[in-house]
Amino acid sequence: MPLTIINSFASWVLKQRIHQIELFIKYPNEVQEELLLNLIRGSEKTALGTEYDYASIKSYQAFAERVPISTYEELQPLIERTRQGEQHVFWETPIKWFAKSSGTTNAKSKFIPVSNEALEDCHYKGSKDLLCLYLNNNEDSELFLGKSLRLGGSSQIYEDKNTFFGDLSAILIENMPIWAEFSSTPSNKISLMSEWEAKIAAIINETKNENVTSFAGVPSWMLVLMNKMLEETGKGNLLEIWPNLEVYFHGGVSFEPYRDQYKKILPKKDFKYYEIYNASEGFFAIQDLNNSSDLLLMLDYGIFYEFIPMDTFGTANQKTIRLSEVELFKNYALVITTNSGLWRYLIGDTVRFTSLNPYRIRVTGRTKHHINVFGEELMVENTDQAIAKACQLTQSEVIDYTVAPVFMIDKEKGAHEWMVEFKKKPADVALFQRILDETLQSLNSDYEAKRHNNMTLNPLILNVARENLFYDWLKDRNKLGGQHKIPRLSNQRDYLEQLKDRQFTAI
């Protein structure tokens, strides 16, 4: 079958989904309410359903009153029972797949259940909808005339007592439909390689002569691959290698600190960037418009959403609200109930709504990865935007960064201490530092108040990291590739002190 016919047919099939998306946009709260009741009805006979008497739950109010909000640590005993072979503990159908995740950098592993329903109706559905929305917005796309270069996490699948675990990307590849494998590069064998540096070399060797029309992966690690590709081939930009490139599907970390670097290696005016929001726990939101950073919350993936306003999060007055009660531009901690049996699960991400019709969001950070030692409520969204502006105004480029508090001692005021690794260092580091501080004040009124006349916070401290510092830190901990990263913000100094100790010790 000629590629042009395949491209036309695939586009037609994917775009049929648009009508269903329009339905949940029109009736969002009804779709969510029905979804929740279906999840409850299906799990009445599970161990958890029996404990909380799901059979008598007929409304959201009853559900919220009876079922507690849970962290992973609180759900772990139930998850372990299933990993040991016991089924129908928290979900109605057998679960044999577990996405192994260490959160961001913690040594302790999490094993997130992935049901067959979640694979089909959430993860793969999300991937298809991403293509569907992109094609709906770009009628002249020739995406399927070539292949998508994917860069997922490393690792193979491991078996333990008739259950299996590995990186989510490995599980998705293991269960991938034939159509997806046909349209992707590199091969599954290379995609699942565990050793990061050997994997990068193999990807370059296999893909440099392919007709790549798109790529997908985490911006920070994809940038490493793309720069290595340019070094290997001696080309000036990626379009000299793959002239038919048209879109980059990205997620995992904020794109803002890397945007200008991508524009340099992809000098095509109409090149598209499409963001997604997914995790081991589920596929949540997709950019549905060209040239927009807002993400459409996908409401029919078997996930019921609740939200905790961050101004009450972790306090005695903490409250949980439904989608119908959210407000624009407020930060919320995300709570999910999923078709893998995660009931009122606090995933650890924070979001804010940029639109209520339809419901669109931006990911603003992590509940644990912000700085609020001095009441400044600094979010990752703030620091990413400030870094991007400082880079733009000083013609510099950043690889990675992390921030920690400098605690008050005696009469000394507090501060924020940064460790920043540059790809292209600013000619005037002090100017970069000042722009960074002033931009943060313009973005965050709480930070501005604490910085006013150095009332509570002294000017930020900026450490320029040596080359490969962040890479070496991750390599030490066997965390290269995938979605591994050092937390950008922390209320403690652990990560910063470890980096400072490593600053003068190269591998």
Side-chain angles (χ1 to χ4, degrees), residues 351-367:
V351 301
R352 64 178 171 86
F353 284 84
T354 58
S355 167
L356 301 182
N357 184 24
Y359 286 103
R360 292 196 181 99
I361 61 170
R362 290 194 186 186
V363 182
T364 54
R366 300 277 293 169
T367 54

Side-chain angles (χ1 to χ4, degrees), residues 246-264:
E246 59 177 85
V247 62
Y248 172 27
F249 302 113
H250 62 87
V253 300
S254 170
F255 191 60
E256 285 309 307
Y258 307 103
R259 189 177 297 278
D260 287 344
Q261 295 181 60
Y262 273 95
K263 285 182 178 178
K264 285 184 179 179

Side-chain angles (χ1 to χ4, degrees), residues 186-205:
S187 64
N188 287 358
K189 181 179 179 181
I190 290 175
S191 293
L192 292 172
M193 287 175 67
S194 296
E195 210 289 305
W196 169 255
E197 287 163 341
K199 176 177 177 174
I200 287 293
I203 291 175
I204 290 170
N205 185 57

